[in-house]
Amino acid sequence: MQPLSDLNSILKEMLAAAGPVTFARFMELALYHPEHGYYERRASRVGKRGDFFTSVSVGPLFGGLWAWQFAEWAAAGRDQPLIWLEAGAHDGRLAADFLMALERQRPDCWERMEYWILEPSVKRRQWQEEALSRWLSKTKWFPNWAALPATGVRGAVFSNELLDAFPVHRLGWSRESAAWFEWGVTWEGGRFDWVRMPGNPPVAAELDNTPPELRAVLPDGFTVDLCPAATIWWEEAARRLRSGWLVAVDYGLTAEQRFAPGRANGTLRAYAGHRLATDLLARPGEQDLTANVDFTALIKAGERMGLRLDIFASQSQFLTRIAAQMWAAGVAWDAVQTRQFQTLIHPEHLGRAFQVLVQRPGAVVSAA
Ligand SMILES: C[S@@+](CC[C@H](N)C(=O)[O-])C[C@H]1O[C@@H](n2cnc3c(N)ncnc32)[C@H](O)[C@@H]1O
């Protein structure tokens, strides 16, 4: 029998002492335990040598495209100072790609912008400082929203694959009691296992208006992943955005899509070594856990905070539009950049799975 990892032992003891925990709590510890959490232990989780690819790990072009978009947005407001705030900056790679491209290609925007990073983890901040050593005078870090200056952000608040890494509550449908229960985690027979826990009314409230006709046909155990942490984060971001753009790039669903029959097990996935792992609860801290973002919930949260939908488009549509602007301005790409672009927009790679959501204070609705 393999020796248990440190986090395995910690979780096992916790469950033995206090009984089952919600999956959300388990996921929070698996990913963010200050010492042993998946995202706290090694910078190289993302990319070829890590467990999964993101658009950032495809190459520097992704940051270059977003830098161009930012400069275009900024062009409207001429001499105003502007902030690009990134959350989920991980090892600082996107920030470095963005700053490199902006400095080279868009001096019009470069002089008057600052790069802010929202980073609660001291370790990740250190990785980012190393990656951004050339631009330290341009960059500021904040551990949480409350630490931002009271003037808030004028510019863009951006994240790529941040919200899919927030802990989710997993609600299951009980046919017997015709009610939602919450999936929890227990330690049973030498392994972590699922257990049905009593429903969690504040979290389940989001499913209160599930139509009765749908409830009548849901199979027992049908699972929906809900992420109140993502909605709260989006509201916090909206509160700080004085003017500009609130942007999330992620893979996700609209609320109706989560009831598709093919999603009876929710959208939670685990990755290790670029493969989907079969046991979601195995090896906590050693494999990535991720669930689709609920874009409908984000859009509604933004609207509650006075934001309007500006763009909701596939990554492919959105990046192609930026690329067209760059080409029209005479920017030429080499073969490596062209390949990166094809991967970013290819429907079988990252182009269709990823969506770009942009909300703005007071913006009018526009098609992407
Ligand atoms: C899936 S990775 C994506 C990394 C990077 N954005 C990319 O696209 O390659 C998610 C990152 O978000 C970070 N993260 C999670 N919660 C966060 C929070 N509340 N604030 C800032 N970063 C967070 C994780 O530690 C991890 O580095």
Side-chain angles (χ1 to χ4, degrees):
M1 204 159 146
Q2 275 203 326
L4 290 180
S5 74
D6 291 338
L7 191 54
N8 248 299
S9 309
I10 292 168
L11 289 171
K12 183 185 141 186
E13 276 162 30
M14 189 179 91
L15 297 177
V21 293
T22 64
F23 175 77
R25 178 70 179 137
F26 178 88
M27 181 168 172
E28 187 187 348
L29 290 167
L31 297 186
Y32 305 110
H33 183 281
E35 246 180 286
H36 309 292
Y38 178 83
Y39 280 119
E40 294 287 339
R41 286 196 305 117
R42 238 184 21 222
S44 58
R45 296 298 193 190
V46 190
K48 216 180 273 172
R49 274 169 292 152
D51 292 317
F52 57 94
F53 279 112
T54 69
S55 296
V56 178
S57 47
V58 168
L61 186 76
F62 184 68
L65 287 160
W66 276 103
W68 189 275
Q69 175 63 79
F70 181 56
E72 288 296 307
W73 280 338
R78 291 246 132 58
D79 306 316
Q80 306 279 349
L82 275 183
I83 308 298
W84 174 271
L85 183 151
E86 185 190 359
H90 197 62
D91 56 6
R93 185 152 173 200
L94 174 72
D97 295 341
F98 180 104
L99 288 166
M100 176 85 79
L102 199 74
E103 188 175 21
R104 282 195 186 148
Q105 293 180 342
R106 298 300 298 250
D108 54 323
C109 180
W110 176 252
E111 291 303 329
R112 62 194 177 95
M113 70 86 60
E114 277 184 12
Y115 204 106
W116 289 6
I117 296 181
L118 193 67
E119 182 50 78
S121 155
V122 175
K123 275 187 212 158
R124 292 195 299 266
R125 176 179 167 158
Q126 281 166 358
W127 305 337
Q128 293 155 14
E129 282 176 348
E130 282 164 32
L132 298 175
S133 56
R134 266 187 64 185
W135 297 286
L136 290 182
S137 62
K138 227 25 192 165
T139 314
K140 285 196 181 118
W141 277 265
F142 301 92
N144 51 51
W145 289 116
L148 255 58
T151 45
V153 178
R154 292 183 189 280
V157 174
F158 176 90
S159 65
N160 186 64
E161 286 207 52
L162 166 73
L163 301 172
D164 66 38
F166 278 16
V168 289
H169 288 266
R170 312 205 77 204
L171 299 194
W173 179 249
S174 161
R175 267 189 87 77
E176 196 187 341
S177 53
W180 295 99
F181 62 88
E182 175 144 11
W183 285 113
V185 180
T186 186
W187 178 266
E188 218 30 85
R191 59 193 285 267
F192 295 108
D193 206 352
W194 297 101
V195 62
R196 294 185 181 207
M197 295 177 79
N200 184 336
V203 177
E206 208 184 311
L207 301 177
D208 279 354
N209 57 2
T210 315
E213 311 77 49
L214 181 57
R215 288 168 185 247
V217 296
L218 284 180
D220 188 62
F222 189 98
T223 296
V224 173
D225 299 312
L226 295 179
C227 191
T231 316
I232 293 167
W233 189 93
W234 196 253
E235 285 174 355
E236 288 282 319
R239 190 168 293 127
R240 264 77 188 186
L241 185 67
R242 298 288 184 273
S243 63
W245 305 266
L246 177 53
V247 186
V249 186
D250 227 312
Y251 53 86
L253 302 169
T254 55
E256 309 79 60
Q257 289 171 323
R258 65 187 170 205
F259 285 108
R263 293 209 178 84
N265 293 320
T267 64
L268 184 73
R269 299 179 289 287
Y271 286 96
H274 291 280
R275 280 168 194 239
L276 271 176
T278 42
D279 186 347
L280 299 169
L281 302 178
R283 308 189 309 137
E286 303 287 326
Q287 57 185 21
D288 183 36
L289 292 167
T290 178
N292 280 20
V293 168
D294 178 347
F295 282 112
T296 307
L298 294 188
I299 291 169
K300 282 191 191 155
E303 286 172 353
R304 279 196 298 277
M305 301 301 295
L307 303 189
R308 298 285 169 272
L309 182 65
D310 190 36
I311 293 163
F312 184 45
S314 68
Q315 168 155 297
S316 171
Q317 285 173 297
F318 191 82
L319 296 187
T320 302
R321 204 172 54 169
I322 306 175
Q325 290 171 9
M326 293 175 81
W327 299 329
V331 178
W333 291 345
D334 60 23
V336 174
Q337 288 171 308
T338 304
R339 264 203 308 280
Q340 288 174 16
F341 184 65
Q342 284 162 350
T343 307
L344 290 171
I345 64 159
H346 196 289
E348 299 300 320
H349 294 287
L350 302 163
R352 202 161 46 202
F354 285 84
Q355 309 291 320
V356 177
L357 170 63
V358 183
Q359 285 188 301
R360 308 194 55 188
V364 280
V365 179
S366 71

